[in-house]
C-alpha cells in the first residue's frame, strides 16, 4: 500500500513534529541544539557555493526543541515542506551519527505534520509549542526555556518571523495567552498521540534502510543476533508480529520470543 498523502494546507502553514527513534533523545548538549537551529536557519537564509544568498525556502513562526522531539510552526514557499524537512533531517542525522558513533536512523519514521488553515488554530499552536517545556516539567514558566522561539517574541533576534504575529496582536495580549495553560480539551498533533498502524511498505522500507539490505527478505541472511535487532526495532517502529513474520519470513514463535 502507498503511503497516505499528507493533508495540504490552504495557507501553506503547517505544524510539524519530528521525534527521535524509539522516543530516544536527539539532543544531549548545547552544541546539538545549536546544530539543529543552524540547519533551520540555513533553510530561511540559504546560500550557494559562493556564499551568495538565495531566496528563503520557508518561514518559521515558532519552534521548540525538546530533548527527544521538535515542534515547528512553518510556512512552505517554493520549496515543499518535504524538501525542507529532508534537508534538516539529513543534516542533523549526519551530525548526530558522527558525534555519537551511532548507526541507523536518528528520527522515528517520517516527520509528522498537520495543516494550519485558520488564525485561531495558529494562535493555539503558538501557545502549545511554547508551553511544551512547562508541560514536560523542564521549566516552570515559558520564558525560562532557552531552546524555544519565545525569546524571539520578547525581542531577541533569531530565526522566527515574529512581526506578522505581533502586528495582529499586542505583545502583552499574546504573552498572556501563551503563559495561560491550555485547556485539557485542546487537541493538537502531539508526541503522545496514538501511533497509527504501519503499512507493509513502510515496515519494509524501514527494515531495508536500517540494516542496509537490498530486499526485506534478506533479513534471513543475517545472523541470529542481527535478526533479533530487526525484530526489536521493527516492533518499536510500530510493526505487528504478523507483519514482521509475513515480510521477513522469520517464524512467529521466534518473533514472540524476542
Amino acid at each position: 500500500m502507498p503511503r497516505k498523502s499528507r493533508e495540504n494546507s490552504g495557507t501553506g502553514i503547517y505544524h510539524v513534529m519530528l521525534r527521535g527513534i524509539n522516543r530516544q533523545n536527539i539532543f544531549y548538549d548545547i552544541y546539538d541544539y545549536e546544530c539543529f537551529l543552524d540547519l533551520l536557519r540555513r533553510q530561511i537564509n540559504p546560500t550557494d557555493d559562493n556564499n551568495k544568498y538565495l531566496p528563503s525556502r520557508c518561514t518559521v513562526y515558532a519552534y521548540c526543541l525538546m530533548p527527544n522531539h521538535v515542534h515547528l510552526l512553518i510556512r512552505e514557499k517554493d520549496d515543499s515542506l518535504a524538501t525542507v524537512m529532508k534537508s534538516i533531517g539529513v543534516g542533523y542525522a549526519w551530525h548526530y551519527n558522527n558525534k555519537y558513533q551511532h548507526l541507523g536512523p536518528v528520527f522515528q519514521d517520517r516527520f509528522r505534520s498537520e495543516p494550519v488553515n485558520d488564525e485561531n488554530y495558529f494562535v493555539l499552536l503558538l501557545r502549545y509549542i511554547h508551553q511544551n517545556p512547562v508541560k514536560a516539567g523542564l521549566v516552570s514558566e515559558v520564558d525560562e526555556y532557552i531552546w524555544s522561539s519565545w525569546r524571539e517574541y520578547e525581542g531577541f533576534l533569531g530565526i522566527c518571523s515574529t512581526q506578522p504575529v505581533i502586528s495582529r496582536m499586542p505583545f502583552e495580549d499574546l504573552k498572556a495567552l501563551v503563559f495561560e495553560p491550555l485547556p485539557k480539551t485542546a487537541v493538537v498533533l502531539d508526541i503522545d498521540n496514538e501511533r497509527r498502524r504501519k503499512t507493509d511498505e513502510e515496515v519494509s522500507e524501514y527494515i531495508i534502510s536500517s540494516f542496509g539490505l537490498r530486499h526485506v527478505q534478506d533479513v534471513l541472511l543475517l545472523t541470529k543476533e542481527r535478526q533479533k535487532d530487526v525484530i526489536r526495532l521493527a516492533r518499536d517502529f510500530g510493526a505487528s508480529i504478523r507483519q514482521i513474520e509475513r515480510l521477513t519470513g522469520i517464524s512467529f514463535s521466534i518473533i514472540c520470543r524476542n
Side-chain angles (χ1 to χ4, degrees), residues 146-175:
I146 66 172
W147 302 115
S148 84
S149 52
W150 180 249
R151 291 191 174 193
E152 297 184 26
Y153 280 89
E154 292 183 321
F156 287 85
L157 294 178
I159 291 170
C160 287
S161 180
T162 60
Q163 190 56 39
V165 180
I166 296 174
S167 66
R168 289 174 173 266
M169 180 184 299
F171 174 73
E172 290 304 322
D173 292 348
L174 177 64
K175 181 176 180 179

Side-chain angles (χ1 to χ4, degrees), residues 14-18 70-72 74 81 85 111-113:
Y14 295 86
H15 171 212
V16 173
M17 190 186 78
L18 192 63
V70 173
H71 286 280
L72 302 172
I74 188 170
L81 178 65
M85 294 308 301
F111 68 93
R112 300 170 65 190
S113 67

Side-chain angles (χ1 to χ4, degrees), residues 57-98:
R57 297 182 180 127
C58 63
T59 299
V60 176
Y61 298 106
Y63 64 81
C64 185
L65 311 188
M66 299 289 283
N68 69 346
H69 69 283
V70 173
H71 286 280
L72 302 172
L73 188 54
I74 188 170
R75 179 167 65 89
E76 63 182 0
K77 293 187 175 180
D78 291 340
D79 288 74
S80 69
L81 178 65
T83 299
V84 169
M85 294 308 301
K86 180 179 180 181
S87 179
I88 294 171
V90 169
Y92 190 76
W94 185 90
H95 159 84
Y96 184 96
N97 286 335
N98 276 273

Side-chain angles (χ1 to χ4, degrees), residues 18 27 34 68 83 93 116 125 138 149 157 220 224 231 245:
L18 192 63
F27 304 116
E34 289 180 343
N68 69 346
T83 299
V116 183
L125 287 168
L138 299 179
S149 52
L157 294 178
L220 295 176
K224 297 297 183 183
I231 294 168
E245 178 190 30

Side-chain angles (χ1 to χ4, degrees), residues 163-229:
Q163 190 56 39
V165 180
I166 296 174
S167 66
R168 289 174 173 266
M169 180 184 299
F171 174 73
E172 290 304 322
D173 292 348
L174 177 64
K175 181 176 180 179
L177 273 175
V178 169
F179 277 61
E180 179 185 352
L182 283 172
K184 293 183 179 180
T185 54
V187 178
V188 299
L189 183 65
D190 187 84
I191 191 173
D192 293 322
N193 287 356
E194 184 178 354
R195 293 183 292 180
R196 63 176 176 81
R197 189 179 186 86
K198 295 296 191 295
T199 67
D200 285 359
E201 181 185 23
E202 289 174 327
V203 174
S204 295
E205 287 182 2
Y206 177 74
I207 293 173
I208 289 169
S209 63
S210 297
F211 291 88
L213 306 176
R214 295 184 61 187
H215 306 286
V216 68
Q217 293 84 0
D218 288 348
V219 166
L220 295 176
L221 302 177
L222 300 176
T223 65
K224 297 297 183 183
E225 289 302 314
R226 291 297 279 166
Q227 288 184 20
K228 289 180 181 179
D229 291 338

